[in-house]
Amino acid sequence: MKAAALAVPAAQPPLEVRPPDVGAVKTVAGGLPAVLHAFKHVLGEAGPWRGGKLLWKINQTDGFDCPGCAWPDPTHRSVNEYCENGAKAVAEEGTRERVTPEFFREWSVARLAEQSDLWLGKAGRLTHPMVLREGATHYEPLSWDDAFALVAEELNALGSPDEACFYTSGRTSNEAAFLYQLFVRQFGTNNLPDCSNMCHESSGTGLSETIGIGKGSVTLEDFDHAQAIFVIGQNPGTNHPRMLSALQAAARRGCEIVSVNPLPETGLNRFKHPQEVLHLLGPGTALNKLFLQVRINGDVALLQGLGKALLEREAKAPGTVVDRAFVEGRTAGFDLYVAHLGKVSWDDVVEQSGVPREQIESAADILARSERTIFCWAMGLTQHRNAVGNVQEVVNLTLLRGSIGKPGAGVCPVRGHSNVQGDRTMGIWEHPQPALLDALEREFGFSPPRLPGLDTVGTLKALHDGRVKVFFALGGNFLSATPDTEFTARGLRRARLTVHVSTKLNRAHLVHGQRALILPCLGRTEHDVQATGRQFVTVEDSMGMVHASRGAVTPASEHLLSEPVIVARLAHAVLGARTQVPWLSLVEDYDRVRELISRCIPGFEDFNRRVRETGGFALPNGPREGRFPTPDGKAHFTVHVMPRLKLGPGQLLMMTLRSHDQYNTTVYGLDDRYRGIKQGRRVVFLHPEDVKARGLTAGQKVDLTSHFQGETRVAREFLVVPYNIPRSCAATYFPEANVLVPVDSHAEKSRTPTSKSIVITVAPSSGAVARLPAGTPDVARPG
């Protein structure tokens, strides 16, 4: 499959007219710049009155949960309980701009496809249900009844329920997610791909196999007691900025923080808390005690090196490093783990990790003296072929030191989207647990399908092969979020119907099936009023806390429906007499939905009462309490072969990442302030020696070609930025670089796309060398 044969111009954003500016990397995160950028976005998008009300209610007990990341809320909350990127997310949803039927009459799909992702997002909130009829060039309005009838017509005409797929974004509430999976399973399929498939599926798989639960084991309060915190493959300064407050407090009381990442990230260097007025002019709090600059996908080698160093210390002083009582009483597989590390050579550890042995030894010293260690990670670990092994090597270190099941210690996969964890808890999964299906059968009187459904990768292939004919997305920007953009676009175009429940316009609306629907929904920030009055929904954060979320402002349009109502009306229209579920009655009062959840989902007993308590409630978590719900009741050490990076002449290993001005596929602006990039996104970060070895220069336009199993894919006109990144490595922003990620390149077991392990070559494009600003350094570095 050659890139040229797959070219679909509308599937990708247009090339940037001018190259970005490149300046010095920032050394401190937060502070006054974060405050100013937050208010600039909120006031510019939502205005002073609406914007001020949104900021007043975000992450408050009587307000709404931030529509951005899943970082938990502290027990004692400040008046301003939000970060810069949370403010941007609120501004994006609270914008005064509107995308109306008149807008769609003016703009054809073809013309919209010529606009940038930033332009599409800034167009405003969707106000009416819209349909693109077969052969039409423009979307046009239709009634909600007609929209549901159209979907019902297509779904009920399918030869099998498995010819439809139902995608879910992490933004969806618990109530909407429960109703959605109930409808889909009563319709007759488990085709429930979701955004977890593309991010932390590897975490869930790796943790389930080793500690018995696919979630982390710590709470936010544990950060107050940790003696060491390892942050691996994560950039909290951009992706989870409120985490920096917890890290700052930990560092101030003497906790040692170790960060592991191919790129040094400003947010882990120094941090100025925006609410500490007296400290805004100072140097900020130093967070990193130690930075280990690992090669891309060198994590297994590094983690095995840490384990090897700990075992060597234990051999010299038995009983001082390994928690023998914990290992012997609560784990299995330790002897195999020890034997395996005994065969691992230090030369291989250093070569494959790219980290000098003395730095690994320093990190091992920190681990050895810490009785309470938290291990945090994000997609720097989860988007590789050996991603499950990455996660399980973290677990190995945790078990070795007995750092789980006690205050201040445990594993902490940091989820990237608010309620992505809750969606899975509610049953959004293509591999449903038998206990859930049994509960649905008992409660609702139908036989749910038992065979596994399609995950995201399976959905892409099924669309491409014509096996899936209807694609329905409850939130998200499926086209831009998924790998292999051109392959994905061809698949979506083969569908008979594509449907997107959305708040704003995005590129997924422009690459469509024979017919397409856009169904506009309420945002989390908006009042949700049903027959019995104003409603609230619930979410689960990254640490298993469930709490309420109440909208604060008037909806952007009187024609918007909430996600629970959209799902209920869809189910009513599609299933008709085949269902005994009182769909329309359920969404008159969301307490009725929560009552059903309490009878079907473990941990949600007495849901309606408990969620009304201040701060909500914690879900059961065996590992947090020192219990491991594995078949033998023990946590498991695992053994993994060290991956070996083998690159051909001129090849690099590329990872995709976010800029500071985006959240997932939503682009807020064109600056990556902390990395020194301004007014542009098509950049490729390379080590200065790799730039020189290829005969390139800073600012030169290049084409990136990925290589996988004899196939090539091309992304054109990226600007070369010399940067502090390991040799033979490269970094680019997504979604622009998603075109390079092959659909068949995914993690073992979890099938997560390998967006951080793509082999590429770089060659000059036809464009000229860009003119960088005067005084630009030879390599982007802290300045």
Side-chain angles (χ1 to χ4, degrees), residues 87 112 133 486 651 667:
L112 288 172
R133 304 191 187 277
E486 295 170 350
Q651 290 183 337
V667 177

Side-chain angles (χ1 to χ4, degrees), residues 231-235 259-262 294 299 376-381 756:
V231 183
I232 310 174
Q234 184 190 359
N235 175 17
S259 65
V260 179
N261 208 50
V294 69
D299 302 283
C376 306
W377 70 89
M379 280 167 278
L381 286 190
K756 287 185 168 51

Side-chain angles (χ1 to χ4, degrees), residues 97 574 622 773:
E97 300 297 325
V574 172

Side-chain angles (χ1 to χ4, degrees), residues 69-71 194-208 213-216 232-235 239-240 243 375-384 387-388 390-391 394 411-422 424 429-430 456 541-543 658 663-664 747-753 756:
C69 79
W71 188 253
D194 75 325
C195 56
S196 287
N197 297 150
M198 293 178 284
C199 54
H200 272 287
E201 196 71 58
S202 301
S203 297
T205 301
L207 293 173
S208 294
I213 186 172
K215 302 179 182 182
I232 310 174
Q234 184 190 359
N235 175 17
N239 301 331
H240 317 93
M243 182 179 177
F375 291 89
C376 306
W377 70 89
M379 280 167 278
L381 286 190
T382 65
Q383 293 182 326
H384 305 277
V388 173
N390 286 341
V391 172
V394 172
V411 291
C412 181
V414 183
R415 307 282 175 171
H417 203 163
S418 175
N419 211 45
V420 62
Q421 186 161 294
R424 180 58 56 85
W429 197 20
E430 72 279 359
T456 296
D541 65 32
S542 196
M543 297 178 186
R658 294 180 188 169
Y663 187 77
N664 293 341
E748 297 168 343
K749 296 184 179 180
S750 70
R751 289 168 55 85
T752 299
K756 287 185 168 51

Side-chain angles (χ1 to χ4, degrees), residues 25 48 235 317 523 623 641 655 704 762:
V25 175
N235 175 17
V641 176
M655 59 184 278
L704 312 179
V762 180

Side-chain angles (χ1 to χ4, degrees), residues 163-303:
E163 293 180 343
C165 269
F166 299 87
Y167 177 75
T168 318
S169 158
R171 179 179 58 84
T172 305
S173 68
N174 288 328
E175 291 74 12
F178 180 82
L179 293 176
Y180 193 54
Q181 63 83 30
L182 175 61
F183 157 61
V184 170
R185 293 192 164 107
Q186 191 159 18
F187 178 66
T189 185
N190 283 315
N191 288 348
L192 282 161
D194 75 325
C195 56
S196 287
N197 297 150
M198 293 178 284
C199 54
H200 272 287
E201 196 71 58
S202 301
S203 297
T205 301
L207 293 173
S208 294
E209 291 181 351
T210 52
I211 65 172
I213 186 172
K215 302 179 182 182
S217 67
V218 303
T219 65
L220 187 56
E221 288 70 28
D222 284 316
F223 282 76
D224 295 331
H225 304 286
Q227 293 174 332
I229 300 172
F230 279 64
V231 183
I232 310 174
Q234 184 190 359
N235 175 17
T238 288
N239 301 331
H240 317 93
R242 285 201 297 159
M243 182 179 177
L244 297 183
S245 300
L247 294 179
Q248 181 189 57
R252 284 176 172 174
R253 61 174 176 76
C255 177
E256 297 182 289
I257 298 172
V258 178
S259 65
V260 179
N261 208 50
L263 276 66
E265 298 293 5
T266 300
L268 287 167
N269 183 46
R270 285 185 172 273
F271 174 60
K272 293 182 182 180
H273 199 306
Q275 295 183 33
E276 295 182 347
V277 178
L278 296 180
H279 295 277
L280 289 181
L281 298 179
T285 303
L287 299 185
N288 269 340
K289 175 75 173 183
L290 179 65
F291 169 52
L292 304 180
Q293 189 167 23
V294 69
R295 289 170 62 177
I296 293 175
N297 202 26
D299 302 283
V300 165
L302 173 64
L303 295 167

